Amino acid sequence: MPRPTAPRPTVAQLAYGSCTVILSTLAMLLLSQTSSGPGVALIALVGLVLGLLVAMTVPRPKRARATSQVVASSAAAPPRRERVPVQASAQQD
């Protein structure tokens, strides 16, 4: 029996999360001016948590249902027109 898999993160989620981790960690390190090992580790951990939070709150694209696609595509189709060939004129100038 196959196990259900977790949805994969989108490119936007990865980009926003990575930027948040890097920028927030750098900002906290510069603002706190800490140089101790445990301080740097705590700031790195907080930056990672912030990055995960941002990545998980980025909205995912919604999937359209199959029935709504069928209804929408049939309703939006323009009516078919018959093609009538143009008659050549009897007199040519």
Side-chain angles (χ1 to χ4, degrees):
M1 185 169 181
R3 296 185 319 185
T5 60
R8 294 185 180 197
T10 62
V11 174
Q13 287 176 313
L14 291 174
Y16 288 144
S18 299
C19 288
T20 302
V21 169
I22 293 168
L23 295 176
S24 64
T25 302
L26 184 63
M28 287 187 284
L29 284 172
L30 289 174
L31 291 173
S32 69
Q33 297 179 353
T34 186
S35 59
S36 67
V40 172
L42 179 65
I43 288 175
L45 182 65
V46 170
L48 182 62
V49 170
L50 280 174
L52 287 172
L53 181 67
V54 167
M56 299 314 287
T57 56
V58 172
R60 292 182 164 274
K62 295 184 179 182
R63 294 184 184 188
R65 293 187 206 163
T67 56
S68 65
Q69 285 180 342
V70 171
V71 171
S73 64
S74 64
R80 294 186 104 186
R81 290 194 252 167
E82 261 185 64
R83 299 184 98 187
V84 179
V86 176
Q87 298 293 329
S89 64
Q91 295 177 339
Q92 297 211 349
D93 295 323

